[in-house]
Amino acid sequence: MTVFTGAATAAKSSTSSTSANNASASPTVWRKTSHPPLHFNNNETRNRNLQMQLKNRGTKDDWGASLRYDIEEPTSSCSSGLPIDVPIVRKLSRPLIQQQQQKMEDLDETCSVSSTDSDRTILSPTVPMSIFDKFLCLTSNLSGLISCIIAEARKTTECEQYAVFFYDDDNKKMVLFNNETMLMTGKAYELNTGIVGRVGATQRTMNIRDVSRCPFFVSDIDEQFDVKARNILAFPLVDSSHSLIGVIVLYNKTPGFSRNDEKFIKRFSYFVANAIAHAILAKQIEEVRTRIHMVEEFKVQGEDVVIEEVDIMRLVNDPLRDWRYFSQNFADFSFPPRSVGENHFHKASMMFFEDLGFSMQYKLNKRKLSFLVLRVSVGYRPVPYHNWSHAFAVTHFCWLTLRTDAIRRALNDMERLSLLIACLCHDIDHRGTTNSFQMQSLQKTPLSVLYSTEGSVLERHHFAQTIKLLQQEECSILENLPAADFRTIVNTIREVILATDISAHLKKQERIKTMIREGYNPMSFDHRYLLMCLVMTASDLSDQAKNFHNAKRIAENIYLEFFAQGDLELQLGVKPLEMMDRTNAYVPTVQIDFLYKIGVPVFQLLATVVPEGKTTAEAIEANHMCWVALDEECRNNPAATNELEYLRDEQLERRIYEKVRKIDPRAAELASKRFEPVYANGTVPQTQDILDHRFDGYDKKYQLGCHPGSGGSGGQMNGKQQIRSLQKTKSKVSL
Ligand SMILES: Nc1nc2c(ncn2[C@@H]2O[C@@H]3COP(=O)(O)O[C@H]3[C@H]2O)c(=O)[nH]1
């Protein structure tokens, strides 16, 4: 059997001592990197091959287009005198030659390196099976697999850069792998163009010593990621079914890629090809799953829920209600709207449109409005906080604001109608996880695939769901509007729903402060936009501007969501934010920070434009004081905050009010203000605690054990300092 270990046999152009790594033989004779060795005993064959080499000299065929090799388990290596672990490489694509036993002395005579033991080992680098085990463990993460493969290749070949191309069999193109979410989204090139395309077409490795002298080199193709190629080792990835998977290009090794590098690559590429083939298959399966999920995402949440005719007729036939039907205090800014009971949310939502005159003014079809309100309510998922009761509470606060003289003067009717609809729909299909969860989670949620490039992933989805509802025949309440007005309202709804992304609000906060400081100018489109965003954000945070009991209980629901997300992230191997990690979160300090940096400023700003809402700023400042007092109480007793139950502790709540009363009696009065249980006229008294959304996590019973967070209330000020700072601010800004 003719056995060779790739003994390099440059054309006899230089002394036999030429190093295997020598860049090339004399300039006039192109070194054949892996041309069939000439050390056959049969002189006739030898001469024929020599003539072929000389004939091909300097032509495109003389470019080290190695023949395909296959790796065969060592069988007779012991008889060949080769070290036991050297795999025997047998050519597949050459005519099977007379099996001849290769004597080691032949190697000395023909190979271009001295055949000492160490060289022989170097000549035939084996690739430890442990590498392939590593590859096979990564087939579910294509990017990770590619990184691992390249790391192994660079470790052995010491190349500077690399590029990976996959073969798109459908379009017969080589596609650059750019780590994008979806496969085959990179730049595509014709097969057979450039070195990449030639290696793909011939399925043969090419080792180009000097790209500037290679006729196949095409810079636009063969130089990717701003690499300036000097030399290239490009090898095909061909799986065990001889299908081309792709091409890997290694750039710039000093002084050039050697025979050994080729040998290594030939062994390496076979396993790499199969590992990548599996990873691509896994990726394609994942993409199909994502596409299926994305199709699901385009469905309106709850669209499978049948809206019963009886429910529609109950709303349609319900006589027009005055707001006093729900409670004598229903129109107070301090009234906690959930207390009317979930069975009244739909009716009250209908009343908002009537009370503001929109039903008459825009000829809103009552049946369609009923259908929309019912369809919106089933569009919310039963998560602890971002649920239908949150949407109702937000819409109630918006209704309170829209009916004030200040807002009637500041905004036109279409803007006010847009705000009301936006509040009702602003969190439709919320999953109880944050935007950053959509973007960071390892498996890329379908929403992040759909919207991640623009940011505000969830808000864009909420808007998409809203528009789909408004376009449904049964819910098209805006059908009687002129097309231009419809577009104006839809655009306004989009802007204010996007404004509910708290990170978007923080970017606008300074502009809103400037608008307030300079005085609201109704002739300014920017001022109108900023005011609508402020009303939307205040409505979204309004639970924190009610009494402390309401604020605390709703905050509990927020942390139920946060902790459930933290549990999910831990399962996914992602470290959750401290405030979402139930074992580390300490709610009082998170609340103190959130109210001081976001909540209180929002209602102070709103109160300067809407004097009728002045009490909301006082209420949220009072709640900030309560959280500071709660923090002091809990710090003395850390064990008490091991669960969220302490937020339901009525005795603790009374102690908080006593502490605050000593500092600011007015604040204590606002924080402790409770409304009698609400019995809407003629309905069953409320039994179930409507603030209660008991919840056991998205997929696991949650283990509690949060401990007080280290350090103060975050930022540079502790709670007491923040209170003093707020009191100073209040004295400056005339509320
Ligand atoms: N920590 C904290 N965050 C809140 C509170 N109220 C609202 N938020 C956050 O403010 C965000 C406003 O937009 P979202 O409703 O999407 O999500 C809301 C919560 O993440 C609160 O009381 N505490």
Side-chain angles (χ1 to χ4, degrees), residues 385-386 390 427 430 459 500 502 540-541 544 555 558-559 562 579 590-591 594:
Y385 173 71
H386 288 100
H390 166 66
D427 271 338
H430 201 293
E459 288 74 18
T500 61
I502 210 71
D540 203 9
L541 306 182
Q544 296 307 314
I558 288 174
Y559 290 95
F562 282 177
M579 74 176 185
V590 180
Q591 283 307 97
F594 177 80

Side-chain angles (χ1 to χ4, degrees), residues 616-671:
T616 59
E618 294 173 325
I620 196 166
E621 286 168 8
N623 287 335
H624 176 264
M625 296 173 79
C626 289
W627 282 109
V628 170
L630 180 59
D631 174 36
E632 287 163 2
E633 277 287 303
C634 296
R635 278 188 190 288
N636 306 331
N637 177 14
T641 57
N642 269 349
E643 302 190 7
L644 291 173
E645 294 304 325
Y646 68 103
L647 297 179
R648 295 168 177 253
D649 182 336
E650 297 281 346
Q651 287 178 355
L652 173 60
E653 192 174 315
R654 277 193 289 280
R655 288 204 305 277
I656 300 304
Y657 296 145
E658 288 320 304
K659 281 173 85 89
V660 171
R661 199 178 311 285
K662 291 177 185 127
I663 303 166
D664 182 337
R666 165 95 176 123
E669 181 204 341
L670 282 173

Side-chain angles (χ1 to χ4, degrees), residues 322-323 350-358 399 403 408:
D322 177 82
W323 57 262
M350 299 286 288
M351 181 275 289
F352 296 149
F353 289 88
E354 305 283 347
D355 179 75
L356 291 168
F358 295 146
W399 166 69
R403 63 200 307 269
R408 284 180 191 278

Side-chain angles (χ1 to χ4, degrees), residues 482-501:
D485 291 352
F486 178 83
R487 274 197 302 276
T488 302
I489 287 182
V490 164
N491 286 334
T492 307
I493 290 172
R494 181 180 66 245
E495 291 308 314
V496 292
I497 288 182
L498 290 179
T500 61
D501 180 351

Side-chain angles (χ1 to χ4, degrees), residues 42 144 187 254 347 420 504 559 591 633 659:
N42 175 331
K187 290 182 276 188
T254 306
K347 218 175 289 179
L420 191 66
Y559 290 95
Q591 283 307 97
E633 277 287 303
K659 281 173 85 89

